[in-house]
Amino acid sequence: MAQVLEFKLPDLGEGLTEAEIVRWLVEVGDVVAIDQPVVEVETAKAMVEVPCPYGGVVTARFGEEGSELPVGAPLLTVAVGATDASSAAPGDDGTAAEEPSGGSGSGSGNVLVGYGTGAPAARRRRIRPERNTAPAAPAAPAAPAAVSAPSRPAPVAVAIGEVNGRQGPVAVVSPLVRRLARQHEIDLRGLTGSGPDGLILRADVDSAIRQAGQATEAATRTAAEPVVAEASTAVASPSAAGAATPATAERIPLRGVRGAVADKLSRSRSEIPDATCWVDADATELMAARAAMNAASGPSGGPKVSVLALLARICTAALARYPELNSTVDTAAREIVRLPGVHLGFAAQTERGLVVPVVRDAHTRNAESIGAEIARLTELARTGKLSPAQLTGGTFTLNNYGVFGVDGSTPIINHPEAAMLGVGRIMPKPWVHQGELAVRQVVQLSLTFDHRVCDGGTAGGFLRYVADCVEQPAVLLRTL
């Protein structure tokens, strides 16, 4: 006889207490293997696939896509030992069998943080019966056609089974695309993707939203025509002017990555007395040095070095001279904690929102090594595969907002760090060079720092050293 075991949302680590269900990977009645991913969830830090520690037949799922579950809440139940879906049915009393108290066959040894599968606790859970038919709704009385509001038309090209006849998995990767579709009630299974291998892109969802809006507008005009014709033969009443339904504001829940960013930035603003200083620097020599590095071949050649990697290496050298900025404040103990190593975070804008991957032990790496790690983490961020551990533990952040085509900014410190260096775009500008006016590659650098850990002299010295290295990269030779 099959034993029905309950699988709860495990502890995903890094102090996370809840997760949003993005996509179910199994259906009720599916046979799953031990450690097979069964659901894709999004936390405040990353999107992960959750593996099930039991093998058997899925008998129930708890939670719809888009809903949030706390850690420890039931995810699904699995009939262990069942060979088909019928063997997963509960007994005559409608209750699930007790979970085994131990044994090697009860689960896998591969567990997430805080979740053990070797010896699940015994429990009984009532199986929710599946509803095969829905009760018919009572017929509503017919309303006069002249005063009835137009019903909402069905979404264009988005009904299940009406377009392309697809019922399988949705070819979409981006959580942003899924969220946008949910907000506008667009069924992704009815869309044909324009991306590679039929991948559904944001443009496809935007197009479906526009089509649905056009259909709604057309239906509204059609339903309003009799009213307009009748009104043309009578005097308009004063209440007719206010008959139009006012537009409503869109409300977007602050959760997931957006919610985590909001919480962290609000905490930074409320706790940290920050100040910002900035300086323009001539980056012509730095760009020339980078071009020479990337043009080298043979034994002196190697992978291409990015501007961000060079700036990151400059930051680690500057932090070695000004360790006050590689610190944090312990408010409970009223102490400044200077950190022994540099774990360099860099801001990256993705479809899920702003994330800050961390380059571990950046102070031990050269520009080539830092560049390779930045490229690896950026790719993981782009595909939404960064783990929570790769997004935490930073001690200093580098923010290259120049990629957005802006010159300057006053960045908000990434709590609980003590400073952040911002870099604007590098562009040709008039500049006095060696006593003559010339066109040079100029960049604006800004440093936002926690005024509790240092005074303006230290912050100014750090920023001036960074600017000197940008203008004369040979200065770095002292620390190589």
Side-chain angles (χ1 to χ4, degrees), residues 4-290:
V4 179
L5 305 182
E6 183 181 81
F7 175 44
K8 298 180 179 180
L9 178 64
D11 183 356
L12 300 173
E14 302 296 335
L16 302 173
T17 58
E18 61 186 10
E20 177 184 348
I21 297 176
V22 174
R23 180 167 59 105
W24 282 105
L25 305 179
V26 295
E27 301 287 343
V28 173
D30 287 355
V31 178
V32 296
I34 292 177
D35 292 334
Q36 175 181 335
V38 293
V39 65
E40 190 177 64
V41 300
E42 182 179 20
T43 69
K45 297 181 182 290
M47 189 164 60
V48 296
E49 292 182 348
V50 179
C52 179
Y54 310 126
V57 178
V58 178
T59 59
R61 301 187 319 192
F62 303 100
E64 299 296 328
E65 294 181 357
S67 61
E68 285 189 339
L69 292 179
V71 170
L75 265 180
L76 49 75
T77 54
V78 179
V80 178
T83 57
D84 52 45
S86 63
S87 63
D92 294 338
D93 59 351
T95 58
E98 291 187 2
E99 296 181 7
S101 59
S104 60
S106 62
S108 73
N110 299 329
V111 297
L112 295 174
V113 177
Y115 186 83
T117 62
R123 84 169 47 242
R124 298 172 67 88
R125 182 171 183 86
R126 184 174 298 277
I127 297 298
R128 297 182 179 178
E130 295 292 333
R131 296 183 178 179
N132 296 326
T133 59
V147 297
S148 62
S151 61
R152 178 168 181 166
V156 178
V158 295
I160 301 176
E162 294 180 1
V163 180
N164 301 331
R166 295 206 308 267
Q167 295 287 343
V170 180
V172 58
V173 174
S174 169
L176 178 62
V177 173
R178 282 193 289 268
R179 183 177 295 110
L180 184 64
R182 283 200 305 270
Q183 291 171 352
H184 294 273
E185 300 179 2
I186 300 297
D187 194 324
L188 290 171
R189 285 172 288 186
L191 299 184
T192 300
S194 60
D197 299 324
L199 183 68
I200 297 176
L201 306 177
R202 178 169 183 172
D204 302 322
V205 176
D206 289 337
S207 177
I209 294 172
R210 287 194 298 271
Q211 293 180 48
Q214 292 169 359
T216 302
E217 183 179 354
T220 303
R221 287 198 303 267
T222 301
E225 285 176 359
V227 179
V228 173
E230 182 179 344
S232 64
T233 61
V235 178
S237 62
S239 60
T245 303
T248 58
E250 181 182 7
R251 290 181 174 269
I252 303 174
L254 274 176
R255 62 188 184 189
V257 174
R258 186 73 263 160
V261 170
D263 292 341
K264 175 160 281 195
L265 296 183
S266 298
R267 185 177 182 183
S268 177
R269 275 295 190 217
S270 63
E271 290 188 11
I272 299 177
D274 59 350
T276 302
C277 54
W278 56 89
V279 66
D280 290 339
D282 180 1
T284 306
E285 296 299 328
L286 180 68
M287 301 303 290
R290 173 177 175 265

Side-chain angles (χ1 to χ4, degrees), residues 203-435:
D204 302 322
V205 176
D206 289 337
S207 177
I209 294 172
R210 287 194 298 271
Q211 293 180 48
Q214 292 169 359
T216 302
E217 183 179 354
T220 303
R221 287 198 303 267
T222 301
E225 285 176 359
V227 179
V228 173
E230 182 179 344
S232 64
T233 61
V235 178
S237 62
S239 60
T245 303
T248 58
E250 181 182 7
R251 290 181 174 269
I252 303 174
L254 274 176
R255 62 188 184 189
V257 174
R258 186 73 263 160
V261 170
D263 292 341
K264 175 160 281 195
L265 296 183
S266 298
R267 185 177 182 183
S268 177
R269 275 295 190 217
S270 63
E271 290 188 11
I272 299 177
D274 59 350
T276 302
C277 54
W278 56 89
V279 66
D280 290 339
D282 180 1
T284 306
E285 296 299 328
L286 180 68
M287 301 303 290
R290 173 177 175 265
M293 292 179 193
N294 294 338
S297 59
S300 60
K304 302 294 184 183
V305 178
S306 66
V307 175
L308 188 61
L310 293 175
L311 292 170
R313 179 64 185 90
I314 292 173
C315 282
T316 59
L319 289 171
R321 285 174 168 257
Y322 299 93
E324 297 92 337
L325 295 172
N326 192 56
S327 62
T328 187
V329 176
D330 186 341
T331 54
R334 294 186 59 83
E335 294 176 342
I336 298 174
V337 183
R338 290 190 183 177
L339 304 170
V342 178
H343 302 312
L344 186 69
F346 63 96
Q349 190 70 36
T350 70
E351 289 187 343
R352 295 180 63 235
L354 177 67
V355 295
V356 184
V358 177
V359 178
R360 303 287 172 183
D361 299 317
H363 61 289
T364 65
R365 300 172 180 262
N366 57 25
E368 186 175 297
S369 173
I370 292 176
E373 184 66 1
I374 288 177
R376 185 183 73 87
L377 293 173
T378 300
E379 182 59 28
L380 292 176
R382 185 177 294 112
T383 57
K385 295 181 179 179
L386 282 171
S387 68
Q390 292 169 321
L391 291 166
T392 54
T395 63
F396 185 92
T397 297
L398 175 61
N399 187 358
N400 180 22
Y401 46 75
V403 296
F404 302 116
V406 298
D407 297 327
S409 175
T410 56
I412 300 176
I413 296 174
N414 188 19
H415 186 279
E417 298 171 10
M420 176 186 292
L421 179 70
V423 182
R425 60 178 176 173
I426 302 175
M427 61 180 302
K429 289 183 178 180
W431 190 267
V432 176
H433 177 65
Q434 295 180 351

Side-chain angles (χ1 to χ4, degrees), residues 410-456:
T410 56
I412 300 176
I413 296 174
N414 188 19
H415 186 279
E417 298 171 10
M420 176 186 292
L421 179 70
V423 182
R425 60 178 176 173
I426 302 175
M427 61 180 302
K429 289 183 178 180
W431 190 267
V432 176
H433 177 65
Q434 295 180 351
E436 296 182 354
L437 188 63
V439 176
R440 307 285 287 180
Q441 299 292 321
V442 180
V443 62
Q444 184 180 100
L445 307 170
S446 60
L447 176 71
T448 298
F449 64 99
D450 186 341
H451 226 313
R452 296 173 298 179
V453 303
C454 68
D455 295 325

